[in-house]
Amino acid sequence: MDVDKRSLMLGATAGLSLAALYSYTTKRSKDGESGSADAEASSNANFEFARGGATVPLPSGAPRLRREDMTIAGCAFLGLNLSRNHSESPGLMSHPDSVSRQTQFDFNLIQDRDYTHFSQTDDSAWLCGGGESGESYKLKARDSAHCEIFQMATFNEAWGGCSRETIRRVMSEIMIPHMAVLPSFVLRNGDTPSELELKFELEPGVAGHPEKWANWQLRFVHNQLFEKLQCGARFCPGPHHMTFLRKAAWRDEKHMVKYFAECDRAVRQWREQGPMLLEPEQDPDAPGYPAEPLGQELTHPHGVYLFRTREEPVEYFSPNFHPPYDTPDKRKLIAKVLAREWDEDSLSWKPSGLPL
């Protein structure tokens, strides 16, 4: 299926009902049966049973490398910074202090700032396109748009995370290409209520030429980090995407369909441009200029950021693997890294099956 045509279908079909997502088991205590209600509730870890209601299978959480080694499930990660300031457009009610760490994409094209189609969101509302100023009676927050590549949860190794010293060492050892991305489609995920994601999927093209495939850089860095960093909290949520709204609720089905049609048009426009290198605002007088730059992000852009949380980038790693990428040696290096992929079910490597 043409990947550009998937946004409308996925938006209209994914995550339609709780019953479709979970298998419910009704358990009730009965007179004369062995075991108490308390024991049964304890065994299934769902105290809804104690009230005689339905029970839902216990969520096991993200497929971490070694969940038993992780103490605190923090939010630290390595990834792309997609934030941008839009304060020059006051009608957007965006945060005036948002930092423009990319100027290539206006993600308001896939957001519904005036709530034409949406009836409800969570209290954070729109996470990208400038963030929220607070005027909309949502939480005031700067643009935190990002795409995770590697989540280590914390910088505390005793908690199952990775120390910043270890991260710096590994980032100096791996190959970091110039990061260019191509939006694939907008997805309404399977959560209930849904989250909205802009996907950046690896899109295999001409066999034997992985350097020409859209978004190869994301998988390239992802695989190297998964090979080098063995912390217990290691994980990457839904490789690879940008979440821009949580707890999405539409006014009705027709408005949902219209919204995804608008998203489809926006994604088609971006795809016509081809993969875009991510560059921060370079004009010191422009809103969103990184007045306190991280590392060499202004002079050596297109790299990878380290985040303490999605709202707090703390370090920047410049590209060290430079074009051209279509030479025999570099093509061979790219193909070698992409030949495997991490399987979240078995927590092990498997052949990627890509036409390398």
Side-chain angles (χ1 to χ4, degrees):
M1 181 184 297
D2 183 350
V3 72
D4 286 324
K5 296 179 181 178
R6 294 170 63 185
S7 63
L8 182 59
M9 182 192 74
L10 288 167
T13 60
L16 288 180
S17 67
L18 186 61
L21 297 173
Y22 296 100
S23 174
Y24 278 80
T25 303
T26 300
K27 298 181 179 179
R28 299 180 181 275
S29 59
K30 298 180 181 179
D31 293 338
E33 291 185 354
S34 62
S36 66
D38 286 344
E40 185 66 27
S42 176
S43 69
N44 63 41
N46 188 322
F47 294 107
E48 183 67 20
F49 172 84
R51 297 195 292 270
T55 61
V56 180
L58 176 67
S60 59
R64 308 283 180 176
L65 179 61
R66 294 184 303 277
R67 190 179 295 115
E68 66 275 10
D69 292 348
M70 188 179 69
T71 303
I72 294 180
C75 300
F77 65 92
L78 285 157
L80 304 183
N81 197 325
L82 302 171
S83 67
R84 186 176 179 180
N85 186 294
H86 288 274
S87 60
E88 290 185 330
S89 302
L92 297 177
M93 295 184 287
S94 61
H95 199 293
D97 297 331
S98 291
V99 180
S100 294
R101 290 199 153 95
Q102 64 85 21
T103 57
Q104 285 62 55
F105 297 99
D106 178 1
F107 293 124
N108 283 301
L109 294 175
I110 55 173
Q111 299 192 142
D112 183 23
R113 287 283 191 177
D114 57 5
Y115 291 85
T116 298
H117 305 299
F118 286 82
S119 62
Q120 186 174 317
T121 70
D122 76 342
D123 53 7
S124 295
W126 304 106
L127 302 177
C128 62
E132 290 282 347
S133 67
E135 298 172 78
S136 63
Y137 295 85
K138 298 288 187 175
L139 291 177
K140 186 176 182 178
R142 294 186 297 179
D143 188 322
S144 60
H146 65 274
C147 174
E148 292 192 34
I149 299 176
F150 182 102
Q151 185 183 121
M152 71 289 295
T154 72
F155 302 142
N156 189 332
E157 294 185 351
W159 293 349
C162 297
S163 70
R164 291 183 65 172
E165 291 75 15
T166 298
I167 294 168
R168 291 188 189 107
R169 175 181 57 79
V170 168
M171 293 301 284
S172 70
E173 295 173 352
I174 69 169
M175 295 173 282
I176 307 174
H178 291 249
M179 305 301 290
V181 295
L182 180 70
S184 300
F185 54 89
V186 171
L187 171 71
R188 176 187 174 188
N189 76 5
D191 292 356
T192 302
S194 301
E195 294 185 356
L196 297 184
E197 304 172 354
L198 180 63
K199 298 288 287 185
F200 302 100
E201 294 202 330
L202 176 64
E203 301 179 16
V206 179
H209 292 270
E211 79 283 356
K212 298 183 182 297
W213 300 351
N215 301 319
W216 68 266
Q217 297 94 330
L218 287 167
R219 180 77 67 86
F220 186 74
V221 174
H222 174 277
N223 280 7
Q224 292 179 85
L225 290 173
F226 268 55
E227 179 70 35
K228 290 275 191 177
L229 290 169
Q230 304 298 317
C231 61
R234 192 183 76 187
F235 166 61
C236 181
H240 294 98
H241 74 273
M242 176 193 77
T243 298
F244 61 95
L245 187 71
R246 296 189 173 97
K247 295 187 177 181
W250 286 264
R251 295 188 178 277
D252 54 40
E253 185 176 348
K254 290 182 180 179
H255 277 285
M256 183 181 70
V257 171
K258 288 180 180 178
Y259 167 74
F260 278 100
E262 292 175 6
C263 290
D264 186 69
R265 287 192 291 271
V267 171
R268 286 175 181 273
Q269 292 176 14
W270 289 330
R271 293 182 65 79
E272 288 176 0
Q273 301 171 2
M276 299 293 289
L277 291 165
L278 300 173
E279 298 188 357
E281 177 60 64
Q282 297 288 336
D283 182 357
D285 296 324
Y289 175 74
E292 299 179 0
L294 295 173
Q296 297 179 309
E297 65 174 330
L298 293 177
T299 56
H300 296 77
H302 319 147
V304 175
Y305 289 81
L306 177 64
F307 295 74
R308 190 176 188 275
T309 69
R310 62 182 172 85
E311 295 184 353
E312 191 179 356
V314 294
E315 201 158 346
Y316 172 77
F317 300 95
S318 303
N320 58 17
F321 183 54
H322 305 291
Y325 297 119
D326 59 356
T327 64
D329 288 344
K330 289 183 179 177
R331 183 179 294 139
K332 184 177 180 180
L333 284 172
I334 296 170
K336 181 179 179 180
V337 173
L338 298 185
R340 299 194 301 170
E341 65 177 305
W342 183 253
D343 182 68
E344 291 186 342
D345 294 328
S346 64
L347 295 180
S348 62
W349 292 100
K350 65 179 182 181
S352 66
L354 295 169
L356 297 164

